[in-house]
Amino acid sequence: MNHVLSGLAANASLPPELLDRLIAVADTETATHLVHRPDLSHAQAIALASRAEEIAVSLAHAGRITADDVDPTTQPYVALALLTNGVGRSEWAQAFARAPDVKHRVELAACPGLSPDVVEVLAIDSDVRVVAELALWTTSQTAARLAVHPHAEVRRAVAANEATPPAVLAALLTEAGMAPAQRCLVCDREETPFVHDPECPRLDCDLLPGDSCDGSHESTREQTHQLAIENPGTPDQALADFADHPSLYLRCLLAGRPNLPAAICARLVVDPHPEVRACLAEKQAMDGELIHALAFDREHEVRRRLAHNPVVPLDVLTHLASATRLSSTLLPRIASASPAELEELAASSIPAVRTLVAHRRDLPPALRDTLATDPDAKVLKSIAPHPGLSERLLRSMVDRHGVRVAAKVATNPDATPALLEDLARHRPVVQKAFREIARHRNASVPALLACLADPQARPIAASHAALPPPIIEELLTDPHERVAEAAAANPSLPLNVMWESMPPS
């Protein structure tokens, strides 16, 4: 892999004639970068597609080549990519449905809008992998038909298909009125009873760790239940028995479903395992009694997830902020808070509550500036990136709290070149600040030179357009590949250096 060429492939200043040259010499990695260039012409896309079929597939998925550009007999995966995007030709689908290569038939089965005659051929394919892939993506009518397929793998796929009718999903979950499956992938390959060793040494084995079959296809049946519980179309009445299921994973999946009936929630909120209660805390349809129970749960993770729930009341969120260690992100309920609510929260005597408000980036100027003078460093770290803060307020934060807030101050979009230079020279050194300064649009040459001395900030700084061209050119030969690639992608790299970086044709 040529890292300089990969960087040039991403360089926004690359001229068309150099892009042509780069296409002609590109290795696979470089070609991958070229696929998504907005200035790639159709003719250039065709030339790039000729480099390798995998690149042509990427171009097809990106919409850069059309059916007129593809020969399905020599580029089958490119044609299948176009069919996947719904822009292939119907005759291709008919041919692939009977293709000798099962991989082609499997990929076709996942394509949308297949004609009824193609679906019929795939539904009776001799390879269960093809039928299962069809079951995963097909229409509700075909999914209902395949739900009674004798192979458990096909039924498992039907359970995952969101087009499957609710009554069919309920039947897959309860197995009421449904004949048992006759085969599964495990008993297709092994004598039963069989449990797949998680440390299986066979290189050609694609069974999952723990896959098992004693004649009842139990591991595939459990996977079917998992997928049906996750499927939003599964009716609530089919789920009730799983609230007390011995499988922790199934109970967690159940707890994570939206709009669960109150009766099921009442059973899950007293589940002995905290992960079940934590999944329940993320639900956006909860009554006050359930929210209160979760807010005072003994487990930190349950309370933390409840705090991230958009429907949590502000009084509950205030309690959670004072009693729970929350991540330094804008919480959904704070994002939707009214100006009056924000004023009230910002006046709280609890620093953790004021910190919640400080994560907003659209605060009224007066409230923003008030929080910028807060005595608590955590509040300042949260408000420091807010646009509109004056240089005086930003410098005051650093003067008062130094290394605790310097990196966050460096992220402020209005930080001046002079302030960024001072942050780069700060003592003691703030390593995180270098990375933020290196990507800042206002970073000056002196600040960027200081960032180049930091190993983690160096590749970021190497891509900054404000770097002088001689320094960018020097970085092309940096021993660290990420730095060289970033320098090659720098839009300020001189045109003559770009040409000189090209290998001979």
Side-chain angles (χ1 to χ4, degrees):
M1 174 181 173
N2 188 319
H3 290 273
V4 171
L5 291 186
S6 290
L8 287 174
N11 194 311
S13 298
L14 196 73
E17 61 273 16
L18 196 49
L19 178 54
D20 288 333
R21 175 76 175 277
L22 193 53
I23 289 171
V25 299
D27 56 21
T28 301
E29 189 68 25
T30 302
T32 300
H33 285 81
L34 291 170
V35 165
H36 300 288
R37 286 189 64 93
D39 58 345
L40 191 71
S41 69
H42 183 249
Q44 289 170 329
I46 297 301
L48 187 60
S50 67
R51 303 289 298 169
E53 187 172 21
E54 62 187 283
I55 299 302
V57 168
S58 297
L59 288 162
H61 282 304
R64 312 305 292 267
I65 58 177
T66 69
D68 291 337
D69 306 319
V70 176
D71 179 355
T73 59
T74 59
Q75 300 171 296
Y77 287 105
V78 186
L80 285 163
L82 291 174
L83 285 168
T84 299
N85 288 357
V87 293
R89 292 178 173 160
S90 58
E91 59 266 29
W92 294 355
Q94 292 167 352
F96 282 126
R98 296 174 173 82
D101 191 332
V102 67
K103 293 179 181 177
H104 295 168
R105 306 199 307 274
V106 169
E107 288 218 17
L108 176 67
C111 294
L114 295 174
S115 62
D117 59 325
V118 171
V119 170
E120 183 61 32
V121 172
L122 296 173
I124 58 173
D125 197 282
S126 60
D127 195 303
V128 71
R129 292 172 293 178
V130 177
V131 186
E133 192 69 18
L134 177 68
L136 184 59
W137 303 105
T138 193
T139 62
S140 73
Q141 183 177 4
T142 304
R145 169 189 168 190
L146 293 176
V148 294
H149 194 279
H151 204 286
E153 187 67 13
V154 177
R155 300 185 184 195
R156 187 194 69 81
V158 172
N161 188 335
E162 293 191 7
T164 300
V168 174
L169 290 168
L172 288 168
L173 199 56
T174 64
E175 301 179 7
M178 184 173 284
Q182 298 173 15
R183 306 290 299 173
C184 71
L185 292 181
V186 179
C187 61
D188 278 348
R189 308 171 193 185
E190 308 290 344
E191 289 187 17
T192 58
F194 177 84
V195 178
H196 187 226
D197 184 355
E199 305 296 329
C200 178
R202 295 178 296 177
L203 299 178
D204 61 342
C205 181
D206 58 0
L207 291 176
L208 297 176
D211 275 355
S212 61
C213 181
D214 60 2
S216 65
H217 325 299
E218 63 272 14
S219 64
T220 309
R221 286 175 61 228
E222 182 172 355
Q223 293 164 17
T224 301
H225 293 164
Q226 292 171 7
L227 293 166
I229 290 172
E230 288 184 291
N231 196 315
T234 301
D236 292 337
Q237 59 268 29
L239 300 168
D241 289 345
F242 288 87
D244 304 309
H245 197 279
S247 168
L248 169 63
Y249 186 61
L250 291 183
R251 300 199 312 276
C252 286
L253 291 178
L254 179 61
R257 281 183 61 92
N259 303 315
L260 269 180
I264 296 180
C265 289
R267 292 160 64 184
L268 293 171
V269 77
V270 295
D271 193 282
H273 201 285
E275 182 60 26
V276 176
R277 305 195 303 275
C279 291
L280 190 65
E282 296 176 325
K283 292 176 55 59
Q284 296 186 31
M286 291 191 283
D287 58 31
E289 185 176 345
L290 183 59
I291 290 174
H292 185 271
L294 293 167
F296 288 89
D297 195 281
R298 63 185 180 275
E299 290 290 334
H300 171 271
E301 181 62 13
V302 177
R303 302 192 306 273
R304 188 194 69 80
R305 293 202 203 177
L306 181 63
H308 285 261
N309 193 313
V311 302
V312 63
L314 283 180
D315 59 334
V316 175
L317 187 55
T318 299
H319 158 74
L320 291 170
S322 60
T324 310
R325 187 177 66 258
L326 301 178
S327 58
S328 56
T329 56
L330 176 63
L331 297 180
R333 181 60 183 88
I334 298 298
S336 64
S338 68
E341 290 172 331
L342 292 173
E343 289 278 359
E344 181 180 350
L345 292 169
S348 171
S349 61
I350 304 170
V353 176
R354 303 197 301 274
T355 300
L356 298 181
V357 180
H359 287 305
R360 282 276 291 256
R361 295 291 172 260
D362 59 349
L363 295 174
L367 182 56
R368 173 202 66 203
D369 290 353
T370 297
L371 289 170
T373 62
D374 198 282
D376 190 278
K378 289 184 178 179
V379 178
L380 296 185
K381 286 175 65 176
S382 299
I383 198 66
H386 199 298
L389 286 170
S390 68
E391 182 172 4
R392 178 186 62 81
L393 285 172
L394 292 171
R395 286 186 178 277
S396 174
M397 294 180 193
V398 179
D399 291 342
R400 285 182 288 143
H401 292 281
V403 297
R404 299 183 67 186
V405 300
K408 288 296 184 181
V409 169
T411 68
N412 190 287
D414 300 314
T416 64
L419 175 56
L420 295 172
E421 287 179 26
D422 289 345
L423 291 172
R425 291 191 295 261
H426 192 280
R427 293 295 180 272
V429 171
V430 185
Q431 300 295 146
K432 289 183 179 179
F434 285 125
R435 297 195 294 274
E436 302 302 338
I437 296 167
R439 60 172 58 95
H440 202 290
R441 64 188 180 188
N442 293 337
S444 63
V445 172
L448 291 170
L449 292 177
C451 293
L452 286 173
D454 180 79
Q456 294 186 38
R458 187 175 178 84
I460 305 172
S463 67
H464 201 292
L467 272 181
I471 294 178
I472 303 172
E473 182 178 358
E474 182 181 334
L475 292 170
L476 290 176
T477 58
D478 195 275
H480 295 283
E481 295 169 343
R482 287 180 58 218
V483 176
E485 184 171 341
N490 194 314
S492 296
L493 184 68
L495 181 59
N496 67 300
V497 178
M498 292 185 188
W499 278 106
E500 291 168 3
S501 301
M502 286 287 177
S505 56

